[in-house]
Amino acid sequence: MNTAELLVQCLENEGVQYIFGLPGEENLHVLEAIKKSSIKFITTRHEQGAAFMADVYGRLTGMSGVCLSTLGPGATNLMTGVADANLDGAPLVAITGQVGTDRMHIEAHQYLDLVAMFAPVTKWNSQIVRPSNTPEIVRRAFKTAQSEKPGAVHIDLPENIAAMPAVGTPLNNSALQKTYAAFQSITAAAAAISEAKNPLILVGNGAIRANASEILTKFATELNIPVVNTFMGKGVIPYTHPLALWTMGLQQRDYINCGFDNTDLVIAIGYDLIEYSPKKWNPQAHIPIIHINAMSAEIDSSYVPIVEVVGDISDSLEEILHRVDRQGKPEPYALQLRADIRADYEEYANDSGFPIKPQKLIYDLRQVMGPEDIVISDVGAHKMWLARHYHCDRPNTCLISNGFAAMGIAIPGAVAAKLVYPDRKVVAATGDGGFMMNCQELETALRVGTPFVTLIFNDGGYGLIEWKQQNQFGSSSYVHFGNPDFVKFAESMGLKGYRVESATDFIPILKTALAQNVPAVIDCPVDYRENSRFTQKSGDLNCKL
């Protein structure tokens, strides 16, 4: 047995089903070992796509997604997806090939110090320099990646070490142990909630990672406290729940800001500051905050909790619920706020304008997708509209990157989603800019048999940047480009291609596309004049308290 074979045995022991990546000279021994293993290697068309697949796999399963590249340019291509997983809290293990240790002291072809390079975008990383250390390094990598807060780790394997004889066995893959909050903090949190007149729950992705959806819904229901979620907390409480105030996170005022204007206590559950800065909802730092999470609160002048309940989120909520003495109901303003949000959402249900308004497009998308089906959002103007208008019944059914927020994630992410949930409908929602960044992975999707629909919000430019330019300067520059014929592009790859030519086209086209046994692409012109209209509307927003 050589080191590469021992490495792959350790990966099998960690429950790895897929490795996403590209072959290279310096990882030949690893590829040969994978070929003899139970692990399926998914050959991608770009290393960034491989890292995004591992990223979304980790976010959906809670198990580390694994990606593999060679050294030099292969490794640098992984960086964006690795950084995305790290800032989004998705467990990921990146493995890179490397020149032999006998060449590292000289100027060697394609050599970079990859351990130094990956350090800023990972929780931990290491190079294997002794074959016998492989089991320890792999076990630490997976334990670190999957521990709260999850993130990315990196293992670098020089080619001469990979070929060396190795003796060893995988280490015991023990489950992570839960930690429980201190009794004093639970009691203090319960007392503060009991005294609050207008509390508001703010839920982030940590609650989804903790599988706390059921107890959180019970907690909110029994205590009659309205719930707001971040972009990455969608579905933690069903959007149809009468206490659900849907999503916050836009960079400008929206209806939900009225809720924060009037609250006297924010109960932040699984909330990570990177998801949406507290300076946006607590600019004067005057709102009392209870922090309920698996980790202590980050330091921020607008986020200074009066109580920190640090431990298993589900257990903390159960214990607090037993101790709260709260008989009140939400203030009338909260019920009116939900009605206003719902009315705004329904306003576009029958809109017939073309190009289609993003609100209408997303409203119709929601009508077709089932409660367990998955939408993967790319990054751009459409992401803001999806965050605001695509509402979820279940956790992890609308994935939005809002830590690193990297363009190009949707298509590779949809490949991973379909591998994890082959029986669910999956839609990759992307702008035309994001589509062209990783559209090559549609060939990967076809080859590995993961049929999903790519919905392109087509406006011929970088719409989100134009939106920001217009807001700041009243004009835009350097944001427009040309596109290929997306239908012909899809057909040239052996996929199905569709073009929306009226508002009434979209739903039947989407249903047809979702029924295909190969990936499908829908080109849909979108009316992003709604961006500036929303900015005007939000500027005129007057909270009715």
Side-chain angles (χ1 to χ4, degrees):
M1 181 171 62
N2 61 30
T3 307
E5 291 167 331
L6 179 56
L7 170 73
V8 172
Q9 280 189 17
C10 292
L11 296 178
E12 287 182 299
N13 184 62
E14 296 292 342
V16 175
Q17 292 181 293
Y18 302 101
I19 297 177
F20 308 95
L22 265 73
E25 292 180 49
E26 283 73 20
N27 60 25
L28 292 179
H29 284 92
V30 176
L31 292 165
E32 194 66 18
I34 293 171
K35 189 168 67 175
K36 302 172 187 175
S37 76
S38 62
I39 299 171
K40 183 173 182 179
F41 188 80
I42 306 292
T43 304
T44 63
R45 302 305 299 268
H46 193 282
E47 291 87 355
Q48 186 183 109
F52 278 140
M53 290 176 197
D55 175 0
V56 171
Y57 180 94
R59 189 164 162 188
L60 284 173
T61 65
M63 303 295 292
S64 296
V66 182
C67 54
L68 173 71
S69 81
T70 188
L71 79 174
T76 59
N77 283 345
L78 281 180
M79 287 282 287
T80 296
V82 171
D84 190 88
N86 203 47
L87 290 189
D88 276 6
L92 176 148
V93 174
I95 303 170
T96 55
Q98 183 57 282
V99 301
T101 54
D102 56 334
R103 292 166 53 200
M104 291 182 185
H105 66 292
I106 60 174
E107 187 176 47
H109 180 64
Q110 293 189 321
Y111 172 67
L112 291 171
D113 184 343
L114 298 182
V115 173
M117 188 182 82
F118 276 91
V121 298
T122 56
K123 292 178 69 178
W124 178 78
N125 80 132
S126 183
Q127 185 178 83
I128 298 176
V129 292
R130 290 182 178 273
S132 60
N133 290 347
T134 301
E136 293 176 347
I137 289 174
V138 173
R139 181 79 280 271
R140 180 174 177 181
F142 279 80
K143 183 176 181 179
T144 302
Q146 290 165 202
S147 299
E148 276 293 326
K149 178 185 173 184
V153 300
H154 165 239
I155 299 172
D156 194 37
L157 180 58
E159 61 177 336
N160 64 332
I161 304 297
M164 285 182 182
V167 176
T169 56
L171 299 184
N172 179 39
N173 180 7
S174 57
L176 295 172
Q177 298 299 307
K178 291 182 179 181
T179 59
Y180 298 97
F183 174 79
Q184 293 90 339
S185 67
I186 289 171
T187 302
I193 295 170
S194 298
E195 294 171 5
K197 293 183 178 180
N198 306 315
L200 185 64
I201 294 172
L202 168 59
V203 189
N205 188 247
I208 292 178
R209 294 196 302 268
N211 297 311
S213 177
E214 184 176 342
I215 178 58
L216 190 145
T217 302
K218 177 183 176 184
F219 182 89
T221 303
E222 293 193 9
L223 299 182
N224 268 307
I225 303 176
V227 180
V228 181
N229 60 260
T230 64
F231 286 14
M232 296 176 66
K234 280 179 170 293
V236 73
I237 182 172
Y239 80 101
T240 53
H241 194 288
L243 291 167
L245 297 183
W246 298 357
T247 302
M248 64 174 281
L250 295 182
Q251 299 300 308
Q252 48 203 309
R253 283 185 64 81
D254 201 354
Y255 289 107
I256 195 57
N257 292 93
C258 299
F260 286 91
D261 289 348
N262 201 43
T263 187
D264 61 348
L265 179 69
V266 166
I267 307 165
I269 303 174
Y271 164 69
D272 191 330
L273 274 61
I274 201 169
E275 296 178 57
Y276 189 56
S277 170
K279 289 181 171 59
K280 297 291 184 181
W281 54 267
N282 191 22
Q284 307 304 320
H286 70 283
I287 304 175
I289 298 166
I290 294 176
H291 174 87
I292 303 174
N293 213 328
M295 299 179 69
S296 296
E298 289 283 347
I299 302 300
D300 188 289
S301 60
S302 291
Y303 193 83
V304 183
I306 59 172
V307 181
E308 291 193 42
V309 183
V310 180
D312 180 75
I313 292 175
S314 294
D315 180 76
S316 296
L317 293 178
E318 283 276 16
E319 293 299 323
I320 293 170
L321 185 57
H322 292 327
R323 292 165 173 79
V324 172
D325 179 16
R326 174 179 162 77
Q327 306 300 324
K329 295 185 177 180
E331 291 292 303
Y333 88 89
L335 302 178
Q336 181 59 51
L337 186 56
R338 176 175 168 80
D340 290 343
I341 294 170
R342 185 90 199 188
D344 180 78
Y345 173 64
E346 297 285 353
E347 179 183 345
Y348 304 92
N350 299 309
D351 191 278
S352 60
F354 191 81
I356 302 179
K357 293 180 177 64
Q359 303 98 313
K360 168 64 173 174
L361 188 58
I362 294 163
Y363 184 92
D364 286 353
L365 176 63
R366 175 68 279 177
Q367 307 315 303
V368 175
M369 301 293 278
E372 296 280 359
D373 296 335
I374 298 172
V375 171
I376 312 280
S377 176
D378 214 276
V379 175
H382 70 283
K383 170 185 146 179
M384 300 301 163
W385 290 110
L386 275 163
R388 190 172 189 265
H389 285 267
Y390 191 88
H391 310 297
C392 301
D393 285 292
R394 316 283 165 78
N396 280 337
T397 54
C398 180
L399 297 194
I400 296 177
S401 169
N402 214 41
F404 199 55
M407 292 180 71
I409 190 174
I411 291 173
V415 173
K418 199 67 177 176
L419 287 171
V420 174
Y421 296 112
D423 296 329
R424 298 191 191 182
K425 299 184 183 73
V426 175
V427 170
T430 180
D432 43 1
F435 177 82
M436 292 299 290
M437 291 188 178
N438 271 318
C439 56
Q440 72 280 349
E441 300 305 341
L442 286 171
E443 188 280 325
T444 306
L446 178 67
R447 177 169 23 93
V448 301
T450 51
F452 58 85
V453 171
T454 301
L455 171 60
I456 303 173
F457 289 63
N458 189 345
D459 72 322
Y462 296 115
L464 181 58
I465 304 307
E466 183 172 21
W467 189 354
K468 292 179 180 291
Q469 287 176 336
Q470 291 286 352
N471 286 351
Q472 189 162 347
F473 304 113
S475 62
S476 61
S477 56
Y478 316 121
V479 292
H480 298 291
F481 48 71
N483 283 315
D485 183 322
F486 291 128
V487 173
K488 291 181 180 178
F489 178 92
E491 291 172 348
S492 73
M493 299 178 78
L495 316 180
K496 298 291 185 180
Y498 306 89
R499 181 172 291 109
V500 176
E501 296 180 332
S502 74
T504 56
D505 280 353
F506 176 62
I507 286 181
I509 285 176
L510 178 60
K511 288 180 177 178
T512 300
L514 286 167
Q516 302 304 313
N517 60 5
V518 296
V521 174
I522 300 175
D523 177 10
C524 185
V526 63
D527 183 0
Y528 274 152
R529 290 178 298 176
E530 290 300 301
N531 297 347
S532 58
R533 289 172 184 158
F534 174 73
T535 298
Q536 178 64 44
K537 183 177 180 179
S538 66
D540 295 337
L541 182 64
N542 181 27
C543 296
K544 304 171 186 176
L545 302 180

